[in-house]
Amino acid sequence: MIEPVVLVHGGAWGVPDAWVDKTIEGVKSAARIGYDVLKSGGSALDAVEAAVRSLEDDEYFNAGRGASLNLAGEAVLESSIQRGSDLEAGCVTLIKDFPHPISLARKVLEETPHAFIGGEGAKQFGIEQGFDMVPQSSLVTNAAKEELREFLKSGSIGNSADTVGCVVVDCNGHVAAGTSTGGTAGKYVGRIGDAPQIGNGTYADDFVGAVSSTGHGESILKFSLAHSIIKQMEVGDNAQDAATKCINGMTDRLKNTGGAIVVSNKGDVGFSFTTNRMSWCYVKAEEIHYGIDPNQHLKDAY
Ligand code: GLY
């Protein structure tokens, strides 16, 4: 038996000072929700889904309601989830009508022979699976509109909000990972990033561990970030060293920033980011650990 861990991130980006408290509150709440699912007998996949759903509901994060907007002013959501026991995965992209793409991705994993469905097909699938559609306007916040206005003025994604994710190992060493995003502010209509892609945004393998990525999507997918971290662990790095090496490697090579959270199948934790901030939180051994600034590591009793 190993000590179970639920580790979440709220995106690697330049979180403004005014959002720091709300962001930390959000990742702590999500990690607790995931851990409670594990404690009450849920699977690693159940815990990932529950934690990510809570971040999708929280408008301080770029996922679900509060997602960054594309050039047409729409929230267009993407997500992926993977189960480490058998590598089964579900991914969705170009989602405009459902507030919880992580749950839709899980249905792709469980109910289809496919791994990845996008756009109109994903919408039809969601309807068939009984998901309630919501008006697009319910996903769009004033802060996201303001972020898009800033992008259109400056022409750069600069401080664009980014992505949420969760990695879990249960007491039997089964791992799972999930990632959810609205992508980058001012993205082209039809642009797809790293977050819904296995090996880039998400990876989970019981033989090694689980990863969720965040940051500049085009760089993450060129670098195959999530699977690069897994490969480093396969050759002997612990979760922290693998995360640090690959995040720094991606930033050195592609000159763009990002972050990742990692858990090994033994319960070792790793997280790293080259952005100004990344909110993260994990629960392990009845303690809650969290932070947002570089080298910050705070701890509370659970
Ligand atoms: N990392 C999220 C995106 O670039 O789409």
Side-chain angles (χ1 to χ4, degrees):
M1 297 287 263
I2 66 157
E3 194 62 63
V5 180
V6 175
L7 168 59
V8 306
H9 72 78
W13 64 290
V15 182
D17 290 346
W19 280 31
V20 164
D21 289 350
K22 289 285 184 198
T23 303
I24 289 178
E25 217 176 275
V27 288
K28 285 173 85 172
S29 168
R32 283 178 194 275
I33 286 169
Y35 196 68
D36 287 346
V37 167
L38 274 191
K39 283 280 174 191
S40 56
S43 67
L45 205 66
D46 293 332
V48 165
E49 183 186 3
V52 172
R53 280 179 71 98
S54 93
L55 294 165
E56 289 174 338
D57 281 336
D58 187 332
E59 63 187 69
Y60 285 93
F61 298 97
N62 177 2
R65 175 174 158 70
S68 295
L69 307 179
N70 70 8
L71 280 173
E74 300 166 309
V76 183
L77 311 178
E78 314 187 272
S79 183
S80 57
I81 191 165
Q82 187 169 32
R83 179 169 63 204
S85 57
D86 54 7
L87 304 185
E88 285 296 331
C91 313
V92 292
T93 189
L94 306 178
I95 303 299
K96 298 182 189 176
D97 306 283
F98 303 104
H100 297 118
I102 191 73
S103 295
L104 201 53
R106 181 170 179 174
K107 284 289 183 195
V108 172
L109 182 160
E110 289 178 331
E111 304 295 338
T112 80
H114 305 305
F116 202 164
I117 303 181
E120 192 56 32
K123 178 176 172 179
Q124 287 310 317
F125 175 69
I127 294 168
E128 281 161 27
Q129 291 296 317
F131 285 91
D132 289 331
M133 288 203 292
V134 296
Q136 166 66 202
S137 58
S138 72
L139 301 173
V140 176
T141 60
N142 287 335
K145 287 182 187 166
E146 180 54 32
E147 184 189 42
L148 181 61
R149 270 194 294 273
E150 279 302 312
F151 168 82
L152 293 173
K153 246 195 296 178
S154 68
S156 125
I157 59 169
N159 211 26
S160 179
D162 196 71
T163 310
V164 304
C166 177
V167 295
V168 171
V169 57
D170 70 15
C171 60
N172 297 309
H174 295 307
V175 301
T179 307
S180 185
T181 193
T184 49
K187 65 185 179 182
Y188 282 21
V189 171
R191 180 263 192 187
I192 296 170
D194 60 296
Q197 300 189 37
I198 298 302
N200 297 327
T202 298
Y203 206 79
D205 180 354
D206 274 10
F207 290 174
V208 186
V211 178
S212 172
S213 311
T214 165
H216 186 254
E218 284 70 15
S219 299
I220 292 171
L221 68 86
K222 288 169 196 167
F223 203 76
S224 297
L225 180 62
H227 201 254
S228 294
I229 293 172
I230 293 287
K231 279 196 299 185
Q232 279 305 130
M233 293 165 76
E234 275 175 339
V235 298
D237 278 5
N238 64 29
Q240 185 57 59
D241 289 348
T244 305
K245 208 174 277 181
C246 290
I247 292 296
N248 289 341
M250 181 189 83
T251 294
D252 286 349
R253 184 84 191 273
L254 291 161
K255 313 299 174 212
N256 282 303
T257 52
I261 54 170
V262 187
V263 69
S264 80
N265 59 3
K266 303 284 183 296
D268 302 321
V269 167
F271 48 88
S272 181
F273 53 99
T274 48
T275 45
N276 291 347
R277 285 178 164 146
M278 180 181 82
S279 57
W280 58 270
C281 178
Y282 68 89
V283 183
K284 180 176 182 178
E286 308 298 326
E287 285 182 332
I288 185 153
H289 301 249
Y290 57 98
I292 188 165
D293 287 318
N295 304 315
Q296 183 184 37
H297 190 138
L298 305 167
K299 194 164 70 170
D300 294 342
Y302 187 60

